[in-house]
Coordinates of all heavy atoms in Angstrom, one line a residue:
M1 N 151.6 92.3 54.5 CA 150.9 92.2 55.7 C 149.9 93.3 55.8 O 150.1 94.4 55.3 CB 151.9 92.3 56.9 CG 151.3 92.1 58.2 SD 152.3 92.3 59.7 CE 153.9 91.8 59.3
N2 N 148.8 93.0 56.4 CA 147.7 94.0 56.6 C 148.2 95.2 57.4 O 149.0 95.1 58.4 CB 146.6 93.3 57.4 CG 145.4 94.1 57.7 OD1 145.5 95.2 58.3 ND2 144.3 93.6 57.3
Q3 N 147.9 96.4 56.9 CA 148.4 97.6 57.5 C 148.0 97.7 59.0 O 148.8 98.1 59.8 CB 147.9 98.9 56.8 CG 148.5 100.1 57.3 CD 148.0 101.4 56.6 OE1 147.1 101.3 55.7 NE2 148.6 102.5 56.9
Q4 N 146.8 97.3 59.3 CA 146.3 97.3 60.7 C 147.2 96.4 61.6 O 147.5 96.8 62.7 CB 144.8 96.9 60.8 CG 144.2 97.2 62.1 CD 142.7 97.0 62.1 OE1 142.1 96.9 61.0 NE2 142.1 96.9 63.3
I5 N 147.5 95.3 61.1 CA 148.3 94.3 61.8 C 149.7 94.9 62.0 O 150.3 94.8 63.1 CB 148.4 93.0 61.1 CG1 147.0 92.3 61.1 CG2 149.4 92.1 61.8 CD1 146.4 92.0 62.5
E6 N 150.3 95.6 61.0 CA 151.6 96.3 61.1 C 151.5 97.3 62.2 O 152.5 97.5 63.0 CB 152.0 96.9 59.8 CG 152.3 95.9 58.7 CD 152.7 96.6 57.4 OE1 152.8 97.8 57.4 OE2 152.8 95.8 56.4
I7 N 150.4 98.1 62.3 CA 150.3 99.1 63.4 C 150.2 98.4 64.7 O 150.9 98.8 65.7 CB 149.0 99.9 63.1 CG1 149.2 100.8 61.9 CG2 148.7 100.8 64.4 CD1 147.9 101.5 61.4
Y8 N 149.5 97.3 64.9 CA 149.4 96.5 66.1 C 150.8 96.1 66.5 O 151.2 96.1 67.7 CB 148.5 95.3 66.0 CG 147.0 95.6 65.9 CD1 146.1 94.6 65.6 CD2 146.5 96.9 66.1 CE1 144.8 94.9 65.5 CE2 145.1 97.2 66.0 CZ 144.3 96.1 65.7 OH 142.9 96.4 65.5
Q9 N 151.5 95.6 65.5 CA 152.9 95.1 65.8 C 153.8 96.2 66.4 O 154.5 95.9 67.3 CB 153.5 94.5 64.5 CG 154.7 93.6 64.8 CD 155.0 92.8 63.6 OE1 154.5 93.0 62.5 NE2 155.9 91.8 63.9
E10 N 153.6 97.4 65.8 CA 154.4 98.5 66.3 C 154.0 98.9 67.7 O 154.8 99.1 68.6 CB 154.3 99.7 65.4 CG 155.3 100.8 65.6 CD 156.7 100.4 65.5 OE1 157.1 99.5 64.7 OE2 157.5 101.0 66.3
I11 N 152.7 99.0 68.0 CA 152.1 99.3 69.3 C 152.6 98.3 70.3 O 152.8 98.6 71.5 CB 150.6 99.5 69.2 CG1 150.2 100.7 68.4 CG2 150.0 99.6 70.6 CD1 148.8 100.8 68.1
S12 N 152.6 97.0 69.9 CA 152.9 95.9 70.9 C 154.3 96.0 71.4 O 154.7 95.3 72.3 CB 152.6 94.6 70.2 OG 153.6 94.2 69.3
K13 N 155.2 96.8 70.7 CA 156.5 96.9 71.3 C 156.5 97.6 72.6 O 157.4 97.5 73.4 CB 157.4 97.7 70.3 CG 157.7 96.9 69.0 CD 158.4 97.8 68.0 CE 158.6 97.0 66.7 NZ 159.3 97.9 65.7
R14 N 155.5 98.4 72.9 CA 155.3 99.1 74.1 C 154.2 98.6 75.0 O 154.3 98.7 76.2 CB 155.1 100.6 73.8 CG 154.9 101.5 74.9 CD 156.1 101.6 75.8 NE 155.9 102.5 76.9 CZ 155.3 102.1 78.1 NH1 155.0 100.9 78.3 NH2 155.1 103.0 79.1
F15 N 153.1 98.2 74.4 CA 151.9 97.8 75.2 C 151.5 96.4 74.9 O 151.7 95.8 73.8 CB 150.8 98.7 74.8 CG 151.0 100.2 75.0 CD1 151.2 101.0 74.0 CD2 151.1 100.7 76.3 CE1 151.4 102.4 74.2 CE2 151.3 102.0 76.5 CZ 151.5 102.9 75.5
S16 N 150.9 95.7 75.9 CA 150.3 94.4 75.7 C 148.9 94.6 75.0 O 148.1 95.3 75.5 CB 150.1 93.7 77.1 OG 151.3 93.5 77.7
L17 N 148.7 93.9 73.9 CA 147.5 94.0 73.2 C 146.7 92.7 73.4 O 147.3 91.6 73.6 CB 147.7 94.2 71.7 CG 148.4 95.4 71.3 CD1 148.6 95.5 69.8 CD2 147.7 96.7 71.8
F18 N 145.4 92.8 73.3 CA 144.5 91.6 73.4 C 143.4 91.8 72.4 O 143.0 93.0 72.0 CB 143.9 91.4 74.8 CG 143.1 92.5 75.4 CD1 141.8 92.6 75.1 CD2 143.8 93.5 76.1 CE1 141.1 93.7 75.7 CE2 143.0 94.6 76.7 CZ 141.7 94.6 76.4
R19 N 142.8 90.7 71.9 CA 141.7 90.8 70.9 C 140.5 91.3 71.5 O 140.2 91.0 72.7 CB 141.5 89.4 70.3 CG 142.5 88.9 69.3 CD 142.0 87.6 68.7 NE 141.2 86.8 69.5 CZ 141.7 85.7 70.2 NH1 142.9 85.4 70.1 NH2 140.9 85.0 70.9
V20 N 139.7 92.0 70.7 CA 138.4 92.6 71.2 C 137.3 92.0 70.3 O 137.5 91.7 69.1 CB 138.4 94.1 71.1 CG1 137.1 94.7 71.5 CG2 139.5 94.7 72.0
Q21 N 136.2 91.8 71.0 CA 135.0 91.2 70.2 C 134.7 92.1 69.1 O 134.8 93.4 69.1 CB 133.8 91.1 71.1 CG 133.9 90.2 72.3 CD 133.8 88.8 71.9 OE1 133.5 88.4 70.7 NE2 134.0 87.9 72.8
R22 N 134.2 91.6 68.0 CA 133.8 92.3 66.8 C 132.6 93.2 67.2 O 131.7 92.8 67.9 CB 133.3 91.4 65.7 CG 133.2 92.0 64.4 CD 132.8 91.0 63.3 NE 133.8 90.0 63.0 CZ 134.8 90.2 62.1 NH1 134.9 91.4 61.6 NH2 135.7 89.3 61.9
D23 N 132.6 94.5 66.8 CA 131.6 95.5 67.2 C 131.4 95.7 68.7 O 130.2 95.8 69.1 CB 130.3 95.1 66.5 CG 130.4 95.1 65.0 OD1 131.1 95.9 64.4 OD2 129.8 94.2 64.3
S24 N 132.4 95.6 69.4 CA 132.3 95.7 70.9 C 133.6 96.2 71.5 O 134.6 96.2 70.8 CB 132.0 94.3 71.5 OG 132.0 94.3 72.9
K25 N 133.6 96.5 72.7 CA 134.8 96.9 73.4 C 135.2 95.8 74.4 O 136.2 95.9 75.1 CB 134.6 98.2 74.2 CG 134.4 99.4 73.4 CD 134.2 100.6 74.2 CE 134.0 101.9 73.4 NZ 133.8 103.0 74.2
D26 N 134.5 94.7 74.4 CA 134.7 93.6 75.3 C 135.8 92.7 74.8 O 136.0 92.4 73.6 CB 133.5 92.7 75.5 CG 132.3 93.5 76.1 OD1 132.6 94.4 76.9 OD2 131.2 93.2 75.8
A27 N 136.7 92.2 75.7 CA 137.8 91.3 75.3 C 137.2 90.0 74.7 O 136.2 89.5 75.1 CB 138.6 91.0 76.5
A28 N 137.9 89.5 73.7 CA 137.6 88.3 73.0 C 138.3 87.1 73.7 O 138.1 86.0 73.3 CB 137.9 88.4 71.5
Q29 N 139.2 87.4 74.6 CA 140.1 86.4 75.2 C 139.7 86.3 76.7 O 139.5 87.3 77.3 CB 141.5 86.7 75.1 CG 142.0 86.8 73.6 CD 143.4 87.3 73.6 OE1 143.6 88.5 73.4 NE2 144.4 86.5 73.7
K30 N 139.7 85.1 77.2 CA 139.5 84.9 78.6 C 140.8 85.2 79.3 O 141.9 85.0 78.7 CB 139.1 83.4 78.9 CG 137.7 83.1 78.3 CD 137.3 81.7 78.6 CE 136.0 81.5 77.9 NZ 135.1 80.7 78.6
K31 N 140.7 85.6 80.5 CA 141.9 85.9 81.3 C 142.8 87.0 80.7 O 144.0 87.0 81.0 CB 142.7 84.6 81.7 CG 141.9 83.6 82.4 CD 142.7 82.4 82.7 CE 141.8 81.4 83.4 NZ 142.6 80.1 83.7
W32 N 142.3 87.9 80.0 CA 143.1 88.9 79.3 C 143.7 89.8 80.4 O 144.7 90.5 80.1 CB 142.3 89.8 78.4 CG 141.2 90.5 79.0 CD1 139.9 90.1 79.3 CD2 141.3 91.8 79.6 NE1 139.2 91.1 79.9 CE2 140.0 92.1 80.2 CE3 142.3 92.7 79.7 CZ2 139.7 93.3 80.9 CZ3 142.0 93.9 80.4 CH2 140.8 94.2 80.9
Q33 N 143.2 89.9 81.6 CA 143.7 90.8 82.6 C 145.1 90.5 83.0 O 145.8 91.4 83.5 CB 142.8 90.7 83.9 CG 141.4 91.2 83.7 CD 140.4 90.1 83.3 OE1 140.8 89.1 82.7 NE2 139.1 90.3 83.5
R34 N 145.6 89.3 82.8 CA 146.9 88.9 83.1 C 147.9 89.8 82.3 O 149.1 89.9 82.8 CB 147.2 87.4 82.9 CG 147.1 87.0 81.4 CD 147.3 85.5 81.3 NE 147.2 85.1 79.9 CZ 146.2 84.3 79.5 NH1 145.4 83.7 80.4 NH2 146.2 83.9 78.2
Y35 N 147.5 90.3 81.2 CA 148.4 91.1 80.4 C 148.6 92.5 81.0 O 149.4 93.3 80.5 CB 147.9 91.2 79.0 CG 147.8 89.8 78.3 CD1 146.6 89.5 77.7 CD2 148.8 88.9 78.4 CE1 146.4 88.2 77.2 CE2 148.6 87.6 77.9 CZ 147.4 87.3 77.3 OH 147.2 86.1 76.7
S36 N 147.8 92.8 82.0 CA 148.0 94.1 82.8 C 149.2 93.9 83.7 O 149.8 94.9 84.1 CB 146.8 94.3 83.6 OG 145.7 94.6 82.8
H37 N 149.6 92.7 84.1 CA 150.7 92.5 85.0 C 151.9 91.9 84.4 O 153.0 92.0 85.0 CB 150.2 91.5 86.1 CG 148.9 92.0 86.8 ND1 149.0 93.0 87.8 CD2 147.6 91.8 86.6 CE1 147.8 93.3 88.2 NE2 146.9 92.6 87.5
A38 N 151.8 91.4 83.2 CA 153.0 90.8 82.5 C 152.9 91.2 81.1 O 151.8 91.0 80.4 CB 153.1 89.3 82.7
K39 N 154.0 91.6 80.5 CA 154.0 92.0 79.1 C 153.7 90.8 78.2 O 154.2 89.7 78.4 CB 155.4 92.5 78.7 CG 155.6 93.0 77.3 CD 154.9 94.4 77.1 CE 155.2 95.0 75.8 NZ 154.6 94.4 74.7
R40 N 152.8 91.0 77.3 CA 152.4 89.9 76.4 C 153.1 90.0 75.1 O 153.2 91.0 74.4 CB 150.9 90.1 76.1 CG 150.4 89.0 75.1 CD 148.9 89.3 74.9 NE 148.3 88.1 74.3 CZ 147.8 88.0 73.1 NH1 147.8 89.1 72.4 NH2 147.3 86.9 72.6
P41 N 153.7 88.8 74.6 CA 154.4 88.8 73.3 C 153.3 88.9 72.2 O 152.2 88.4 72.4 CB 155.1 87.4 73.3 CG 154.7 86.7 74.5 CD 153.9 87.6 75.4
F42 N 153.6 89.6 71.2 CA 152.7 89.8 70.1 C 152.7 88.6 69.1 O 153.7 88.2 68.7 CB 153.0 91.1 69.4 CG 152.0 91.4 68.3 CD1 150.7 91.8 68.6 CD2 152.4 91.3 66.9 CE1 149.8 92.1 67.5 CE2 151.5 91.6 65.9 CZ 150.2 92.0 66.2
N43 N 151.5 88.2 68.8 CA 151.3 87.1 67.8 C 150.3 87.6 66.8 O 149.1 87.6 67.1 CB 150.9 85.8 68.4 CG 150.7 84.7 67.4 OD1 150.7 84.9 66.2 ND2 150.5 83.5 67.8
K44 N 150.8 88.0 65.6 CA 149.9 88.7 64.6 C 148.7 87.8 64.2 O 147.6 88.2 63.9 CB 150.6 89.1 63.4 CG 151.2 88.0 62.6 CD 152.0 88.6 61.4 CE 152.6 87.5 60.5 NZ 153.4 88.0 59.4
Y45 N 148.9 86.5 64.2 CA 147.9 85.5 63.8 C 146.7 85.5 64.8 O 145.6 85.1 64.4 CB 148.4 84.1 63.6 CG 149.5 84.1 62.6 CD1 150.9 84.0 62.9 CD2 149.2 84.3 61.2 CE1 151.9 84.1 62.0 CE2 150.2 84.4 60.3 CZ 151.5 84.2 60.6 OH 152.5 84.3 59.7
E46 N 146.9 85.9 66.0 CA 145.7 86.0 66.9 C 144.8 87.2 66.6 O 143.7 87.3 67.1 CB 146.3 86.1 68.4 CG 147.0 84.9 68.8 CD 147.5 85.0 70.3 OE1 147.0 86.0 71.0 OE2 148.3 84.2 70.7
F47 N 145.3 88.1 65.8 CA 144.5 89.3 65.4 C 143.9 89.3 64.0 O 143.4 90.2 63.5 CB 145.3 90.5 65.7 CG 145.7 90.7 67.1 CD1 146.8 90.2 67.7 CD2 144.8 91.5 67.9 CE1 147.1 90.3 69.0 CE2 145.1 91.7 69.3 CZ 146.3 91.1 69.8
I48 N 144.0 88.1 63.3 CA 143.5 88.0 62.0 C 142.4 87.0 62.0 O 142.6 85.8 62.4 CB 144.6 87.6 61.0 CG1 145.8 88.6 61.0 CG2 144.1 87.4 59.6 CD1 147.0 88.2 60.2
D49 N 141.2 87.4 61.4 CA 140.1 86.4 61.3 C 140.3 85.5 60.2 O 141.2 85.6 59.3 CB 138.8 87.2 61.0 CG 138.2 87.8 62.3 OD1 138.5 87.3 63.4 OD2 137.3 88.7 62.1
L50 N 139.5 84.5 60.1 CA 139.6 83.5 59.0 C 139.4 84.1 57.6 O 140.0 83.6 56.6 CB 138.5 82.4 59.2 CG 138.7 81.5 60.4 CD1 137.5 80.6 60.6 CD2 140.0 80.8 60.4
D51 N 138.7 85.2 57.5 CA 138.6 85.9 56.2 C 139.7 86.9 55.9 O 139.7 87.6 54.9 CB 137.2 86.7 56.2 CG 137.2 87.8 57.2 OD1 138.1 88.0 58.0 OD2 136.1 88.4 57.3
G52 N 140.8 86.8 56.8 CA 141.9 87.7 56.5 C 141.9 89.1 57.1 O 142.8 89.8 57.0
Q53 N 140.7 89.4 57.6 CA 140.6 90.8 58.2 C 141.1 90.9 59.6 O 141.1 89.9 60.3 CB 139.1 91.2 58.2 CG 138.4 91.3 56.9 CD 139.1 92.4 56.0 OE1 139.2 93.5 56.5 NE2 139.4 92.0 54.8
A54 N 141.7 92.0 59.9 CA 142.2 92.3 61.2 C 141.1 92.5 62.2 O 140.1 93.1 62.0 CB 143.1 93.5 61.2
R55 N 141.3 91.9 63.4 CA 140.4 92.1 64.5 C 140.7 93.3 65.3 O 141.9 93.8 65.2 CB 140.5 90.9 65.5 CG 140.1 89.5 65.0 CD 138.6 89.4 65.0 NE 138.0 89.5 66.2 CZ 137.7 88.5 67.0 NH1 137.9 87.2 66.7 NH2 137.1 88.7 68.2
N56 N 139.8 93.9 66.0 CA 140.1 95.0 66.8 C 141.0 94.6 68.0 O 141.0 93.4 68.4 CB 138.8 95.7 67.4 CG 138.1 96.4 66.3 OD1 138.7 96.7 65.2 ND2 136.8 96.6 66.5
A57 N 141.7 95.5 68.6 CA 142.6 95.2 69.7 C 142.4 96.2 70.8 O 142.1 97.4 70.6 CB 144.1 95.3 69.2
G58 N 142.7 95.8 72.0 CA 142.6 96.6 73.2 C 144.0 96.7 73.8 O 144.8 95.7 73.6
I59 N 144.3 97.7 74.5 CA 145.6 97.8 75.3 C 145.3 97.5 76.7 O 144.4 98.2 77.3 CB 146.2 99.2 75.1 CG1 146.6 99.5 73.7 CG2 147.4 99.4 76.1 CD1 147.1 100.9 73.4
A60 N 146.0 96.6 77.3 CA 145.8 96.3 78.7 C 146.4 97.4 79.6 O 147.6 97.7 79.4 CB 146.4 94.9 79.0
C61 N 145.6 97.9 80.4 CA 146.1 99.0 81.4 C 146.7 98.3 82.6 O 146.4 97.1 82.9 CB 144.9 99.8 81.8 SG 144.1 100.7 80.5
G62 N 147.6 99.0 83.2 CA 148.2 98.4 84.5 C 149.7 98.5 84.5 O 150.3 99.1 83.6
P63 N 150.3 97.9 85.5 CA 151.7 98.0 85.7 C 152.6 97.5 84.5 O 153.6 98.1 84.2 CB 152.0 97.2 86.9 CG 150.7 96.7 87.4 CD 149.6 97.1 86.5
A64 N 152.2 96.5 83.8 CA 153.0 95.9 82.7 C 153.1 97.0 81.6 O 154.1 96.9 80.8 CB 152.3 94.7 82.1
N65 N 152.2 97.9 81.5 CA 152.2 98.9 80.4 C 152.4 100.3 80.9 O 152.4 101.2 80.1 CB 150.9 98.8 79.6 CG 150.8 97.4 78.9 OD1 151.7 97.0 78.2 ND2 149.7 96.7 79.2
S66 N 152.4 100.5 82.2 CA 152.5 101.8 82.8 C 151.4 102.7 82.3 O 151.6 103.9 82.0 CB 153.9 102.5 82.5 OG 154.9 101.7 83.0
V67 N 150.2 102.1 82.3 CA 149.0 102.9 81.8 C 147.9 102.8 82.9 O 147.6 101.7 83.3 CB 148.5 102.3 80.5 CG1 147.2 103.0 80.1 CG2 149.5 102.5 79.4
I68 N 147.4 103.9 83.3 CA 146.2 104.0 84.2 C 145.1 104.8 83.4 O 145.4 105.8 82.9 CB 146.6 104.6 85.5 CG1 147.6 103.8 86.2 CG2 145.3 104.8 86.4 CD1 148.1 104.5 87.5
V69 N 143.9 104.2 83.4 CA 142.8 104.9 82.8 C 141.8 105.3 83.8 O 141.4 104.4 84.7 CB 142.2 104.0 81.7 CG1 141.0 104.7 81.1 CG2 143.2 103.8 80.6
V70 N 141.3 106.5 83.8 CA 140.2 106.9 84.7 C 139.0 107.2 83.8 O 139.1 108.1 82.9 CB 140.6 108.1 85.5 CG1 139.4 108.6 86.3 CG2 141.8 107.8 86.4
D71 N 137.9 106.5 84.0 CA 136.7 106.8 83.2 C 135.8 107.7 84.0 O 135.4 107.3 85.1 CB 136.1 105.4 82.8 CG 134.9 105.6 81.9 OD1 134.7 106.7 81.4 OD2 134.2 104.6 81.7
T72 N 135.5 108.8 83.5 CA 134.6 109.7 84.2 C 133.5 110.2 83.3 O 133.7 110.4 82.1 CB 135.4 110.9 84.8 OG1 134.5 111.8 85.5 CG2 136.1 111.7 83.7
D73 N 132.3 110.4 83.9 CA 131.2 110.9 83.1 C 131.1 112.4 83.2 O 130.3 113.0 82.4 CB 129.9 110.3 83.6 CG 129.9 108.8 83.4 OD1 130.4 108.4 82.3 OD2 129.4 108.0 84.2
D74 N 131.8 113.1 84.1 CA 131.7 114.5 84.3 C 133.1 115.1 84.4 O 133.7 115.1 85.4 CB 130.9 114.8 85.6 CG 130.6 116.3 85.7 OD1 131.4 117.2 85.3 OD2 129.6 116.6 86.4
L75 N 133.7 115.5 83.2 CA 135.0 116.0 83.1 C 135.3 117.2 84.0 O 136.3 117.3 84.7 CB 135.4 116.3 81.7 CG 136.8 116.8 81.5 CD1 137.8 115.8 81.9 CD2 137.1 117.1 80.0
E76 N 134.3 118.1 84.1 CA 134.5 119.3 84.9 C 134.6 118.9 86.4 O 135.4 119.4 87.1 CB 133.3 120.3 84.7 CG 133.5 121.6 85.4 CD 132.3 122.6 85.0 OE1 132.0 122.7 83.8 OE2 131.8 123.2 86.0
L77 N 133.7 118.0 86.9 CA 133.8 117.6 88.2 C 135.1 116.9 88.5 O 135.7 117.1 89.6 CB 132.6 116.6 88.5 CG 132.5 116.1 90.0 CD1 132.3 117.3 90.9 CD2 131.3 115.1 90.0
F78 N 135.6 116.1 87.6 CA 136.8 115.4 87.8 C 138.0 116.4 87.8 O 138.9 116.2 88.7 CB 137.0 114.4 86.6 CG 138.4 113.7 86.6 CD1 138.7 112.8 87.6 CD2 139.3 113.9 85.6 CE1 139.9 112.2 87.7 CE2 140.5 113.3 85.7 CZ 140.8 112.4 86.7
Q79 N 138.0 117.4 87.0 CA 139.1 118.4 87.0 C 139.0 119.2 88.3 O 140.1 119.5 88.9 CB 138.9 119.3 85.8 CG 139.3 118.7 84.5 CD 139.0 119.5 83.3 OE1 138.1 120.3 83.3 NE2 139.9 119.3 82.3
T80 N 137.8 119.5 88.8 CA 137.7 120.1 90.1 C 138.3 119.3 91.2 O 139.1 119.7 92.1 CB 136.3 120.5 90.4 OG1 135.8 121.3 89.4 CG2 136.1 121.1 91.8
W81 N 138.0 118.0 91.2 CA 138.5 117.0 92.2 C 140.0 117.0 92.2 O 140.7 117.0 93.2 CB 137.9 115.6 92.0 CG 138.3 114.6 93.0 CD1 137.8 114.4 94.2 CD2 139.5 113.8 92.8 NE1 138.6 113.4 94.8 CE2 139.6 113.0 94.0 CE3 140.4 113.5 91.8 CZ2 140.5 112.0 94.2 CZ3 141.4 112.6 92.0 CH2 141.5 111.8 93.2
C82 N 140.6 116.9 91.0 CA 142.0 116.9 90.8 C 142.7 118.1 91.4 O 143.7 118.0 92.1 CB 142.4 116.7 89.3 SG 142.0 115.0 88.7
T83 N 142.1 119.3 91.1 CA 142.6 120.5 91.6 C 142.6 120.5 93.1 O 143.6 120.9 93.8 CB 141.8 121.7 91.0 OG1 141.9 121.7 89.6 CG2 142.3 123.0 91.6
E84 N 141.5 120.1 93.7 CA 141.3 120.1 95.2 C 142.3 119.1 95.8 O 142.6 119.3 97.0 CB 139.9 119.8 95.5 CG 138.9 120.8 95.2 CD 137.4 120.4 95.4 OE1 137.2 119.2 95.6 OE2 136.6 121.3 95.2
N85 N 142.7 118.1 95.1 CA 143.6 117.1 95.6 C 145.1 117.2 95.1 O 145.9 116.3 95.2 CB 143.1 115.7 95.3 CG 141.8 115.4 96.1 OD1 141.9 115.1 97.3 ND2 140.7 115.6 95.5
N86 N 145.4 118.4 94.6 CA 146.7 118.8 94.1 C 147.3 117.8 93.1 O 148.4 117.4 93.1 CB 147.7 118.8 95.3 CG 147.3 120.0 96.2 OD1 147.0 121.0 95.8 ND2 147.4 119.7 97.5
I87 N 146.4 117.4 92.2 CA 146.8 116.5 91.0 C 146.8 117.4 89.8 O 145.8 117.9 89.4 CB 145.8 115.3 90.9 CG1 145.8 114.5 92.2 CG2 146.1 114.5 89.6 CD1 144.7 113.4 92.2
S88 N 148.0 117.5 89.2 CA 148.1 118.4 88.1 C 147.9 117.6 86.8 O 148.1 116.4 86.7 CB 149.5 119.0 88.1 OG 150.5 118.1 88.0
D89 N 147.5 118.3 85.7 CA 147.3 117.8 84.4 C 146.5 116.6 84.4 O 147.0 115.5 84.0 CB 148.6 117.6 83.7 CG 148.4 117.5 82.2 OD1 147.4 117.9 81.6 OD2 149.3 116.9 81.6
P90 N 145.2 116.6 84.8 CA 144.4 115.4 84.9 C 143.9 114.9 83.5 O 143.4 113.8 83.5 CB 143.2 115.8 85.7 CG 143.1 117.3 85.5 CD 144.5 117.8 85.3
T91 N 144.1 115.6 82.4 CA 143.6 115.1 81.2 C 144.6 114.8 80.2 O 145.7 115.1 80.3 CB 142.6 116.2 80.5 OG1 143.3 117.4 80.4 CG2 141.4 116.3 81.4

């Protein structure tokens, strides 16, 4: 089995994975957001292209995976906001 697929299989024990467009961060699957709310069973064949190469994968954030992501363009400003709002260890 492809090493990348083996890694995905291990990660999928904890997180819901979905296919990502080639050379992009965009999901390759429609309605991928549902995996944020319900754990997705892993199917290695969904992550292998016709040429046998592994596709990129994304981790669905949300309650199903206990993952929240905050995207900020100014880390210093974000850390200041967290301090002012008594949020510890923001990074």
Side-chain angles (χ1 to χ4, degrees):
M1 186 185 325
N2 180 305
Q3 184 179 9
Q4 190 171 349
I5 297 298
E6 289 177 9
I7 292 169
Y8 291 170
Q9 194 163 16
E10 190 62 31
I11 292 171
S12 74
K13 292 176 183 176
R14 174 66 180 88
F15 302 108
S16 295
L17 299 180
F18 58 89
R19 285 189 326 262
V20 176
Q21 297 283 356
R22 196 179 288 278
D23 300 322
S24 173
K25 294 180 181 178
D26 296 330
Q29 296 172 267
K30 294 180 186 218
K31 301 182 182 179
W32 65 269
Q33 297 90 337
R34 66 181 175 242
Y35 306 128
S36 296
H37 302 283
K39 184 78 171 68
R40 178 178 195 244
F42 182 72
N43 179 348
K44 67 181 178 182
Y45 299 106
E46 292 181 15
F47 293 88
I48 300 174
D49 276 342
L50 295 176
D51 62 3
Q53 296 297 310
R55 295 282 300 265
N56 289 339
I59 296 175
C61 301
N65 298 305
S66 300
V67 174
I68 297 174
V69 174
V70 177
D71 185 9
T72 180
D73 295 322
D74 187 330
L75 182 58
E76 188 175 315
L77 182 61
F78 176 66
Q79 288 172 327
T80 299
W81 180 86
C82 288
T83 301
E84 291 171 353
N85 289 279
N86 298 316
I87 299 172
S88 61
D89 195 23
T91 55

